[in-house]
Amino acid sequence: MLKEDKKKLVKKTSGKLLRIIFGRTTFVILSLIVQIMVLCLTFEWLKNQAFYFYGGFTILSAVVVIYILNKNENPSYQMSWIIPVLVFPVFGVMFYLFIETQPGTKAIAKRLQKLQLDTKPWLKQDPAVMHQLYEESRGVTGLAVYMNHYGGYPVVKNTHVEYFPLGDDMYPVLLRELRKAKRYIFMEFFIIDRGEMWGEILKVLEEKAKSGVEVRVMYDGMCCLALLPYRYPAQLEKKGIRCKMFSPVRPVLSSYQNNRDHRKVVVIDGLTAFTGGVNLADEYINRKVRFGHWKDTAIMLKGDAVQSFLMMFLQMWNVTEHTEEHYERYLPKRSHNWPKDLDRSGYVMAYGDSPLDQETVGQHVYMDILNEARYYVHIMTPYLILDSDMITALTFAAKRGIETTIIMPHIPDKIYAYLLARSYYAELIRAGVRIYEYTPGFVHAKVFTSDDEKAVVGSVNLDYRSLHLHFECATYIYRNPAVGQAEQDFQETLKKCQKITLEDCRDFPFAKKAVGKALRIFAPLM
């Protein structure tokens, strides 16, 4: 037993070490060292030329600032770059040029653009559905029109949605549905970690692969730092499972490691899909305790909306493929008979968000809900790292009398993210936004509900990385019974929360408040 504990400790320690060696932190530290070295060399070896040498970098930083200001980007994001570029001309310029000139990012953007065109015939909007939606809600129709033209996904009907208040609830249903697969299973996750959850799922995938079911698994390359061996895809290939990492992390100067695949998607036979906040690791089903009780959510879809997740998965899978995909072979069979007891009322819009198309789809959906709300907007999110647009949307909703309530974790997974989130609390509370913290532990759910009519469940956090830098996915639900299920879960969760007041904000330790406010300078880069 002691030997096993020692192995786990070594694995945990080595994982943390790998994250340090190969992460962005290392590049920042090295760049700062370069900054110091340049200064030393400038003043010691080039005393007579110091003014010109450092002045050259200052001029270069000014050129970079002008370039940043003229880019079509969020002002908060621009400011987070301008400050380091001006304060640390050498380090700031080097770091910005490193991020901006990544050839891998441009290659992926170009490839995705082509794949989106390839899948467009299977993501067409049904005019009849749009007309029906227009008759029911012109506001939601406007969002659907936006999603059609800029997100690339349709709004559909005939979709059953089942909401899961916990990963614990989703897990057995996922296993059940995987065992039903007859043609294929496609899985795309940000995190896969060995343990009970992944072990049981893997058994089913192996069995299905042996029986002739096509199985594909894709996970984000960050997993190779601490959770899975770098050659893990090869291990799954031997079991008959096609597997790949998205953007494997390589030493420090990895080309496109800033844009991670944060999606959680399962597609089974084109008939059933799962999405939400739940990754494939034991903490997500509370088999392993991390940060207290892990509160997460997910949904299962059956019906027309599954096709959007199917095409979303195939787009990402084929980014690194060189053979042509035959999309039509994965379409659901129209002859499938759905059980009569499945409630497929209302409208569903499954969608993905890419950081490479200059369109912040995830943020626009959230802001549309806040701006269109008549009575309430209820939010669960693990992080609160906001730009000026999102702050305005939240505070304006509260100021015009909309009950705007946010549930946050009480036990955070990242202390810097929590301190940063706390720096927004007072401003939001003064405007009328209600903030609660989930006292049993950590909230990882990403859920919006509004007016007993609308809900969004997906992978999109209220932070810069999700809204601007990551590949994300979610489902917008309108007048479907799942909306009521999500709102009921919110109310039940609220009973286990502590309300944060302005007095709590004032009593929060000064040092922590100072750190949180200082971190806001670099919030868009976190």
Side-chain angles (χ1 to χ4, degrees):
M1 191 67 181
L2 288 172
K3 192 178 287 185
E4 191 65 29
D5 290 341
K6 191 174 180 181
K7 283 183 180 178
K8 287 181 180 178
L9 181 62
V10 170
K11 180 186 173 185
K12 187 176 180 181
T13 306
S14 61
K16 288 182 178 178
L17 185 62
L18 284 171
R19 287 179 184 272
I20 292 170
I21 293 172
F22 297 113
R24 288 185 300 274
T25 306
T26 302
F27 184 82
V28 172
I29 292 170
L30 288 176
S31 298
L32 284 170
I33 291 171
V34 170
Q35 173 89 27
I36 294 167
M37 288 176 63
V38 168
L39 286 170
C40 291
L41 288 171
T42 301
F43 289 108
E44 290 296 323
W45 299 349
L46 303 172
K47 288 180 180 178
N48 297 329
Q49 305 297 323
F51 174 79
Y52 303 103
F53 188 77
Y54 203 75
F57 268 102
T58 302
I59 293 171
L60 180 59
S61 68
V63 172
V64 170
V65 167
I66 292 170
Y67 173 76
I68 293 171
L69 286 171
N70 282 277
K71 286 195 72 178
N72 182 23
E73 286 182 332
N74 183 281
S76 300
Y77 192 70
Q78 290 176 323
M79 188 58 64
S80 69
W81 277 116
I82 289 171
I83 290 172
V85 165
L86 289 178
V87 176
F88 305 105
V90 179
F91 158 66
V93 170
M94 285 177 60
F95 192 38
Y96 182 76
L97 293 177
F98 160 67
I99 295 294
E100 283 294 301
T101 58
Q102 297 180 59
T105 302
K106 292 179 173 61
I108 290 178
K110 187 175 180 181
R111 177 66 175 153
L112 271 175
Q113 206 169 29
K114 181 188 181 303
L115 292 168
Q116 286 162 359
L117 287 173
D118 292 344
T119 56
K120 195 171 182 179
W122 293 280
L123 292 170
K124 284 183 178 178
Q125 178 62 59
D126 183 343
V129 172
M130 186 69 86
H131 178 73
Q132 290 172 35
L133 180 60
Y134 182 79
E135 293 297 317
E136 293 189 40
S137 172
R138 297 188 182 186
V140 177
T141 302
L143 179 63
V145 168
Y146 163 78
M147 190 64 72
N148 279 191
H149 289 96
Y150 297 96
Y153 293 92
V155 60
V156 301
K157 297 187 73 175
N158 304 318
T159 302
H160 173 75
V161 185
E162 184 175 348
Y163 178 87
F164 303 104
L166 291 171
D168 317 45
D169 303 318
M170 182 207 79
Y171 174 49
V173 179
L174 174 60
L175 285 174
R176 182 193 75 199
E177 295 297 323
L178 290 172
R179 292 189 182 106
K180 292 180 184 178
K182 295 178 180 178
R183 298 169 58 205
Y184 62 83
I185 296 170
F186 296 156
M187 306 184 78
E188 177 183 351
F189 281 87
F190 181 56
I191 289 173
I192 295 178
D193 192 11
R194 289 170 291 187
E196 178 190 331
M197 187 183 193
W198 175 238
E200 291 301 311
I201 289 172
L202 185 55
K203 284 179 188 176
V204 177
L205 298 184
E206 286 184 65
E207 291 170 6
K208 286 298 174 180
K210 286 176 183 175
S211 69
V213 172
E214 181 181 349
V215 181
R216 302 191 199 181
V217 174
M218 181 165 63
Y219 60 89
D220 187 76
M222 290 293 288
C223 287
C224 69
L225 292 185
L227 304 179
L228 297 173
Y230 196 82
R231 302 294 179 188
Y232 194 65
Q235 294 181 27
L236 294 193
E237 293 281 351
K238 290 177 182 177
K239 300 175 186 290
I241 299 169
R242 296 180 67 186
C243 181
K244 64 172 67 176
M245 286 187 280
F246 175 82
S247 179
V249 176
R250 298 185 177 92
V252 184
L253 298 179
S254 175
S255 59
Y256 41 89
Q257 65 179 2
N258 203 38
N259 304 120
R260 309 313 316 174
D261 183 359
H262 194 244
R263 294 173 179 172
K264 292 90 178 165
V265 177
V266 178
V267 182
I268 303 168
D269 294 344
L271 301 172
T272 304
F274 289 82
T275 193
V278 180
N279 282 299
L280 304 184
D282 284 356
E283 60 265 35
Y284 293 86
I285 56 171
N286 286 292
R287 299 299 194 272
K288 180 167 71 176
V289 178
R290 295 183 69 205
F291 323 114
H293 183 262
W294 195 287
K295 165 65 181 173
D296 217 328
T297 59
I299 54 171
M300 176 177 67
L301 309 174
K302 287 181 176 289
D304 292 356
V306 175
Q307 192 158 310
S308 292
F309 279 115
L310 169 62
M311 294 303 156
M312 192 190 308
F313 173 88
L314 291 173
Q315 287 172 7
M316 288 295 280
W317 180 271
N318 284 288
V319 164
T320 55
E321 294 293 308
H322 302 291
T323 56
E324 187 176 343
E325 186 76 80
H326 298 289
Y327 301 101
E328 62 279 357
R329 64 182 288 201
Y330 298 109
L331 298 177
K333 294 179 180 178
R334 294 298 176 189
S335 59
H336 182 78
N337 292 317
W338 295 102
K340 292 182 180 179
D341 61 341
L342 282 187
D343 190 332
R344 297 195 290 157
S345 60
Y347 301 84
V348 176
M349 188 161 55
Y351 59 93
D353 192 4
S354 166
L356 308 180
D357 60 5
Q358 305 301 313
E359 197 63 45
T360 54
V361 172
Q363 179 162 351
H364 287 325
V365 171
Y366 284 163
M367 290 177 67
D368 184 81
I369 291 175
L370 287 162
N371 292 333
E372 291 285 321
R374 292 172 295 163
Y375 304 106
Y376 73 82
V377 178
H378 294 158
I379 302 166
M380 285 191 278
T381 179
Y383 310 115
L384 201 65
I385 306 176
L386 309 172
D387 62 17
S388 57
D389 291 339
M390 189 56 73
I391 291 172
T392 300
L394 287 164
T395 55
F396 180 61
K399 287 175 180 177
R400 63 188 180 88
I402 304 302
E403 182 187 301
T404 309
T405 308
I406 303 173
I407 293 179
M408 289 282 294
H410 187 66
I411 303 176
D413 65 334
K414 302 178 183 74
I415 187 61
Y416 68 83
Y418 179 70
L419 294 179
L420 189 49
R422 291 285 311 215
S423 75
Y424 297 97
Y425 278 16
E427 180 180 0
L428 295 175
I429 292 169
R430 286 193 192 98
V433 177
R434 303 174 186 179
I435 299 178
Y436 291 78
E437 289 186 353
Y438 181 66
T439 52
F442 181 62
V443 170
H444 191 256
K446 308 95 168 53
V447 179
F448 269 56
T449 59
S450 180
D451 297 347
D452 295 338
E453 289 188 333
K454 305 172 185 176
V456 172
V457 181
S459 68
V460 189
N461 296 317
L462 273 180
D463 66 3
Y464 278 91
R465 297 210 68 79
S466 271
L467 298 175
H468 297 278
L469 298 176
H470 284 167
F471 292 93
E472 302 284 357
C473 66
T475 303
Y476 181 95
I477 309 161
Y478 180 63
R479 292 186 176 174
N480 181 287
V483 176
Q485 296 166 17
E487 176 57 23
Q488 183 180 356
D489 176 44
F490 183 90
Q491 295 299 332
E492 290 300 317
T493 305
L494 201 62
K495 294 174 184 176
K496 303 171 186 176
C497 293
Q498 166 191 335
K499 187 174 183 179
I500 305 298
T501 65
L502 282 174
E503 187 177 350
D504 294 325
C505 295
R506 285 192 290 269
D507 292 342
F508 198 61
F510 175 79
K512 291 183 177 181
K513 284 194 281 191
V515 170
K517 289 180 179 179
L519 286 172
R520 287 176 79 162
I521 299 173
F522 304 102
L525 306 181
M526 291 182 175

